[in-house]
Amino acid sequence: MTSANFGGHNWGMVVDIDKCIGCQACVIACQAENNVPLNTQDRVERGRSISWIRIERYWEGDFPDTKARFIPIMCQHCENAPCEPVCPVFATYHNSEGLNVQVYNRCVGTRYCANGCPYIVRFFNYWEPVWPETLRNHLNPDVTVRSRGIMEKCSFCVHRIRRATRTARSQDRQLLDGEIQTACSSACPTSALNFGNFNDPNSKVSTMRKDQRHYTLLDQFATEPNVIYLAKVDTDRKVGAGEAASHG
Amino acid sequence: MSTRSMLGLFQQPEPAADAMDGLKEAGFELGSFDVLTGVPYPEGAFGEYVPQHRLFRFPAFGAIIGFTLAVFLTSVTQLAYPVVTGGKPILSLFAMLIIMYEMTMLSAVIASVFGIIFESRLPNMKPGIYDPRITEGWIGVVITFDDDSRVADAEGVFNRAGAVEIKHAS
Amino acid sequence: MQQRRSLDQAYTNRKLLNGQLDTPKWWAPTVIVLGILVLIGIGVISVMINKGLGVTGLSRPVFWGLFITTFVFWVGISHAGIMISAILRLTQAEWRRPVTRAAELLTVFSLLTALVFPLIHAGRPWRIAYWIMPYDFGRGIYPNIRSPLIMDPVAIGTYLTGSTLFLYVALLPDLANLRDRTKGWRNSLYTVLALGWRGNPRQWKMQTVGGILLSALMLPIFVSVHSIVSWDFAVVPAVEGWHSTIFAPYFVIGAVHSGVSAVVTMMALMRWLWKWDDFIRPEHFDALARLLIVVATGWLGFTFLELIFALYGQDAPEIALREMQMFTWPWNMLFIIFFLTAYLIPVPMWLFKRVRTNIALMFWTSILVNIGMWLERFLIIVPGLARRTPFVYTWDSYRPSAVEWTIFIWSFAWVTFLMLLFSKFFPLVPLFEQKESQVFTDDVMIGRAKVPAVLREAD
Amino acid sequence: MASEAVAQGHEAEHHALPAQVAPDVVARELVATTMGASGRFKAIAWTLGVLSIAGIVALVLKWLDQSDDSTRWGYVAALLSFLLSVAGGAPMVAMAPVMAKANWVRPVTRIAAMFSFASIVTIITLIPLVAILPPLVTEGARRRTIWFEAPDYSPHIWSIVGLVLLLITGIGLFYSAAIPDFASMRDHSMGWRQRWGKKFARGWVGTDSQWRTLRMRIGMFGTFYFLILVFVNFLITTDFGQSMVPGWRDAIFPMYHSISSFQAGVAAIVIALWAARRYMHLEKYVHVDAFWSLGRLLFALTLLWVYFFYSSFIVFWYGRSATDISTLNLLIRGPMMYAFIAAIILIWFVPWWILIWNKVRRSVNGMAIGAAVILVGVLIDRIRIFVPAWSVPPDQIHEKWLTKIPGTVYPDIFDILIMAGGISLAVLIILLMTRVIPVLSVWQVQEFNLLSKPIKYVRGQATMIAKPD
C-alpha cells in the first residue's frame, strides 16, 4: 500500500538475465554518465568503491560443467523502500513517478538508509571526490558532483528523464516509449537492460514484465521493486537471493 | 504583614514539639508559627498542621499541554510538506505516537518540577529569620507576630520548652 | 543486614561536604590530566570533521561502527540513574540513599556524552541542525517523524531534561546546607541556587511527594529511551541480526545491567577517593550486587530468547550471521570475552556474600560487566552489518581506526572530568537523604531479638 | 506484644493498617471460616459443578467429533493459555514476602497459592490439544519450531512434563506454606478437618528448626515455580502458538505472555480477596492496604503489558517484510480484529483510566472492578491470538510466510461449553479449597501483626515495619 500517485509515469526497468553477458559496459557507462569518482585501488580495498550499477558474478554447477552467471544490480527503486522512511531529513523519498530519489542537499549523512537497503546499492562519500586532471572536463554538466559526507545511488538517470520530458513538452507531445534510455540500458550491447514506463500498458517493459520468467530480488522483504528480472531460460532456477547465498 | 519574627532553636525534636504545643495553647493562630528542620521528619511529628498541596494537578496540566503540542507538531508538519517515504502513510500514527508520548512526558515532568518549586513557596529571596545550625540537626521554631505585645509570652513558651537560643528579627 | 550507627549531623556535613569545603589534594592534578585528554579528544574530533569520515574504519556495508556502539553504550550507562533513584525510591529501598545523586549525575553526564556520537558520526555534522532542530520555516520542509532517528533525539532530550530537573530538585536541601556552610561569592551562589530553602514542613513534604511523583514520571521515560534506541536497529528488516521484536526490553535490561554496574564502580571510587567509609558501606555493595544478580540473570534470559528466535526462522542468512558472530575469527574471540565478562565471571562471584561485601572485588567485577556490555552492543551492530549478504561483492569487515579509538577514550575522560568538576561544587552524596535514613530507620525489639525496622508514614 | 498491639488497636483506624488482633483470636477466627457452608455457597458450588461436568463432556465429544481437524481447536487452545495465565500467574505473589520482604503481601499469599490447584484444569485442556497438535514435519517439510532437528514427539512430551511440573511445584509451594495452618486446624477445629490437620501438619509444633526449614522450603519452591512458569510459558506460546503460524517470528511473545499472565494472576487474586473479604467477613484481616499495594502492582503490569505489546507491534509494522505483514494480517488486522480492539481497551485503556486514581486503588470495590475488566480482557486477548493461530490449515503450516489469511473461526456449542466448564471447574476447585484450609494464612497474618506496629513518633503517627533477614 503506497500513497504515491503515479500520474503519467511509473519508471522501471526489466533486466533479462538470459541476455546478460557480464561485459560491464553498463557499469562504465554509468560511471561516466553520473560523475561517479574513480574507484582507485585503495578505495576498493577499503570497501569504499562506488558503482551505482554492479555485475554480480556467481559460479553455478561443479567443475567441469561450470557456468558463469551474471546479474546486474542497481537501485531497485522499491515502492516500499526500506531506505526511505528511516531518513530523518527526507533526503530520500518516493517521487510521483515511482522513482526513489536522493536529494543531495538535504542529506546529512547518517547512513541509516544504507543500513536499511537489503540490496546494498547505496554508497557513502567518505572523501571529497577527486578526478585526475585529464578527466576534469569530462564531467557531465547535468549531474551534480556529490560532495563528501552524503549518500548517493542510482537515479535511473533522472536528468535524462527530465530533459526528455522537457523536449516532449516543448514539442507538446507525449513521451514516446523507449525515448528515454538510461546510460546503462543504452550502453548494453545485448539490450538486457530495458528502461521504460510501467504505467503504459503496451510499453516494451510492460509487455516484458508479463513474461512468465519474471521475478524480483529478495522478495522476502516485500519491497515491491521497480526493477524486474527475467530468469535465465536454460534453467528454471532463478539467479537471485536463494542460491547466491549458497555460492557465496 | 509580619512586623517582627522570632526563632527558637532546639537541639532535640521533643522540646521543639513542646514549644509548638505551647504556642498552640498560648493561642497563636496556626500558620503564624512554623518549624524548621534540616531533615524531613515524619508528617505531624511536631504537631504542626499538615500542609495542603495541589501538586498532582501540575503534571496533569503539563501532560495535556504537551500532548496537544505533540499532536500539532507531528501532524501539521507532515501535512505541510507531504513526502511519501517507503509507502508509509503521510500520517503514520504508530510512529507519531512515540513522539507524542515523549513530548507528553517531557512537559509533564517540567510542569511538575514547576509545581514542586511553586508548592514549596519557592523561590523566596527573603526567607526571613534563620540559623545555619538548623542544617546541622538543630530544630528551629519560627514565629511571626502581628503585634509586638505577644513577643513576651512566645518567648516564655520557648524558654519553658527549653530553647537553647532565641533569635529576634524585625 | 545493615548495621546502623547513629551519625551526628554536623559530622555528616563535615564528611560529605569535604569535596566542596576542603578540596582533596588529588583533585586538581587529576582534573588537569583529564582536561588535557579531553582537549586532545576534541582536537581529534575536529580533525575528523575537517577531513571527513574517511579517517574512520567504516566502509560498505559496515556503515555504522564504533561510534554508534559507544553511543548505545553510554545511553545504557545513563539508565543507572533512574533505575537507582526512581525504582528504588518507589520500592522504598533504604540502601539506595547514599547512591541516588551519584547515579543521577551519571545519567546526566553519560547522556550528554552519548548525544555527541550520532552527531559527529554524521557525514555532514555542520548540517545536523536540520536533523535535530530542523524547524527552519524558510525551507518549508520538516523532519521525518517516521524516522527512528527523529524519535531518538526527542526521547534522549526528554530523558536528559527530565533527569537534570530531577537532579536539581533533589539538590535543593543540600544547596541550602552549603549556603549555611560557605562564605563569600560561593555563599551568594548557593543562596541563589537554593532559592531560599528553609526546611519547613511544607518544603519537606514537597521534597518527598515530589520525589515520588518525579520518579513515577521518569520511570516510563527511562524505559522508553532505550527502547527507542533499540528500535533504530530492530525496525530494519534488511539486517537479519537486528530485526527482532525483543530488542526493546532486551536493550533496556542490558542497559540496567551495565548502568548499575557502573554505579557500583563509581561508589567504590567515591568511597576510596573521598574516604566516605561511614556512608558508602559494604552492605550497600551487597544490596546492589543482589540486585545485579537478578538483573543479569533476567538479561541472560532475554539473550537466550533473542538467540533462539534468531535461529527459529531457520533462514540461511540469519544462521550464517550467527555463525559468523560466534564461530568466526575475530568475532568468536570477542563473543567469548563478552560472555565471560558480562555474565559468567561476575555473577557466580556475586553469589558469595564475601565477594559482595568486598569493595575491591566489586569494583573489578563491575568494570568487567561494562566491558562485556560494550562488546555486546559491538557484536550486535558490527557483525550484523558485516554479514555475508547474498551479493558477494558487498562483503567487508571492520577495524576501528586510531581516530575512532581516541574519540572512544575521550568519552570516558570527558564523563570523569564532568563528574569531578561537579564534585567541586555540589555534594555527590545527598546529605539530607543520608540524615533522613538516620531518622527513618531504627531497631525494634521483638521478644528478645533486635530487628532492624523502617519507619513508614501513615498515608 | 499482643496485648500492647490490642491496646493500640484503636489507633490503627486512621492508619492504612489492619486492626491489630491477638494471635490466638486470629487462629480461632480464621479456622472458623472453613467450617460449614452457607446455602449460597452450596448453590454456587453445585452450579459450577454442573457446568464443569458439562464442559468435560463437551470436551470429550469435541475430541470424538473433530479430532481430525486442528483448525477447530483454537478456542480450547485459548482456554489452555488463559488458565495457564491465571492459575500459573497467581501463585507468583505467594513467594513475594520471601523475595521482597514486603509486609503487606503476607496475608494474601494463601489465596495466591490456592490457585496452583487450578492448574489441574490446565492439564485437562492440554490432553486433547497435545493429541491434535500438527506434526513437526508435514509433506517432508519441517515447520519452524524451537525443536530444530528434534524428534517429532518433542513438543508434546515437553509441554506435558512442563505443566505437570508446574502443578507439582505449585502444590509444593502451597503445602510448604500451609503446614503451620494445618497445625492450627488440628488445634482449633474438629471432625474430619481436625483429622486432616493432624495428618498434614506432620507433627508441627513450631520449633525454631521447623520454621527455618519452612522458610527455606517456601524460598526453594518459589524459585523453582518461577523458573518452571517461565519455561512453560515459553513452551506453550511457541508450540501451541507461534509455530502454528508460518512466518510468525516474535521473540518477545513468550515474555508478553508471561507478563499478561502475571497481570491476570494479580487480577484474579484481587477478585478472590474481594470475595473473601465480602462473603467471609474478613474485613479485619484483608485491609485496604493490601488492595492499595496490589493496585499499584496491577497498574505497573498494565503499563508493562502495553509496552511489551507495542515493542513487538512497532517492529512488525515498521519492518514490514513479507513475514511481518502476514503476521499482522493474521493476528491484528485479520479475522480477529474486533477481538483485538476489545482486548486493547479492556486490558490497557479501561484499567489504566480506572487504576490511575489513588482513590480507586484505595477502594476495595473499585479495585475489584478494574481486576474483573482485566481478566475479561486477557481472556479475549488469548482468543484473538490462539484462535487465528490454530485456524491456519496444516498444509500451509510449513511455508515461509502465510500467503492466504484464513477467515474468522466462530466458537461452536462445544467450545462455549468447554470454556465455561473449564473456568468454572477452576473456580470450583478454589472454592472447595477454602473449606479445607483458612483462606488467609493464619501464621502469616500473625507475623504481619507482629512485624508492623503503629508507633508514636514525637507527636506524629507512623508505622514501624520490622525487616528481619
Side-chain angles (χ1 to χ4, degrees), chain B residues 6-9 129 154-159 163-168:
Chain B
M6 188 170 84
L7 172 73
L9 288 165
I129 185 163
E155 212 167 340
V157 171
F158 283 176
N159 288 324
V164 186
E165 187 179 324
I166 296 179
K167 284 176 147 191
H168 295 269

Side-chain angles (χ1 to χ4, degrees), chain C residues 351-392:
Chain C
L351 291 178
F352 301 99
K353 194 172 176 87
R354 260 221 258 60
V355 177
R356 290 202 302 265
T357 49
N358 177 332
I359 315 296
L361 278 178
M362 285 307 291
F363 178 73
W364 291 113
T365 43
S366 61
I367 286 183
L368 276 188
V369 168
N370 269 315
I371 295 173
M373 290 312 291
W374 187 85
L375 280 173
E376 183 217 12
R377 279 63 171 265
F378 191 76
L379 282 170
I380 288 175
I381 293 170
V382 173
L385 289 172
R387 73 208 182 278
R388 299 187 143 206
T389 60
F391 306 115
V392 287

Side-chain angles (χ1 to χ4, degrees), chain A residues 56 70 96 98:
Chain A
E56 293 278 355
F70 305 105
S96 60

Side-chain angles (χ1 to χ4, degrees), chain A residues 1 79-81 84-85 90 93-94 106, chain B residues 78 81 83-90:
Chain A
M1 66 95 209
E79 298 297 333
N80 295 341
E84 285 169 358
F90 283 124
Y93 74 100
H94 219 73
R106 291 181 196 158
Chain B
Q78 298 301 294
Y81 195 95
V83 183
V84 178
T85 56
K88 289 206 175 351
I90 297 295

Side-chain angles (χ1 to χ4, degrees), chain A residues 48 86 105 107 109 112 148, chain C residues 50 56 58 123-124 127 147 232:
Chain A
R48 292 167 178 178
V86 298
N105 295 346
C107 181
Y112 198 178
R148 84 166 139 95
Chain C
N50 178 23
T56 63
L58 296 167
R124 302 201 289 185
R127 288 293 210 101
S147 165
D232 290 356

Side-chain angles (χ1 to χ4, degrees), chain A residues 46-48 55-56 73 85-88 90 104-105 107-112 115-116 123 126-127 148 150 221 244 248, chain C residues 49-50 53-54 56-60 63-64 121 123-124 127 142 144 147 149 232 237-238 389-393 395:
Chain A
R46 293 289 297 102
R48 292 167 178 178
I55 305 281
E56 293 278 355
I73 294 179
V86 298
C87 176
F90 283 124
Y104 303 128
N105 295 346
C107 181
V108 300
T110 66
R111 309 196 283 298
Y112 198 178
N115 294 338
F123 305 86
Y126 284 94
W127 300 109
R148 84 166 139 95
I150 62 175
F221 293 113
Chain C
I49 291 176
N50 178 23
L53 284 172
T56 63
L58 296 167
S59 67
R60 170 170 151 274
F63 289 98
W64 287 0
H121 111 294
R124 302 201 289 185
R127 288 293 210 101
Y142 303 96
N144 179 3
S147 165
L149 287 192
D232 290 356
T389 60
F391 306 115
V392 287
Y393 285 4
W395 299 345

Side-chain angles (χ1 to χ4, degrees), chain C residues 294, chain D residues 88-114 116 166 169-170 172-174 176-177 214-230 262 266 269 297 443-444:
Chain C
V294 177
Chain D
M92 283 310 303
V93 182
M95 54 177 296
V98 186
M99 295 292 134
K101 290 196 211 150
N103 210 35
W104 61 267
V105 84
R106 294 181 195 278
V108 179
T109 50
R110 169 62 40 78
I111 287 190
M114 275 181 182
S116 53
L166 190 73
T169 36
L173 183 60
F174 167 84
S176 55
L214 175 93
R215 293 190 187 287
M216 199 198 68
R217 278 219 197 93
I218 297 177
M220 204 177 63
F221 275 114
T223 324
F224 280 141
Y225 188 85
F226 177 70
L227 296 177
I228 293 169
L229 182 60
V230 172
F262 292 155
V266 175
I269 287 173
L297 190 58
W443 65 274
Q444 283 184 319

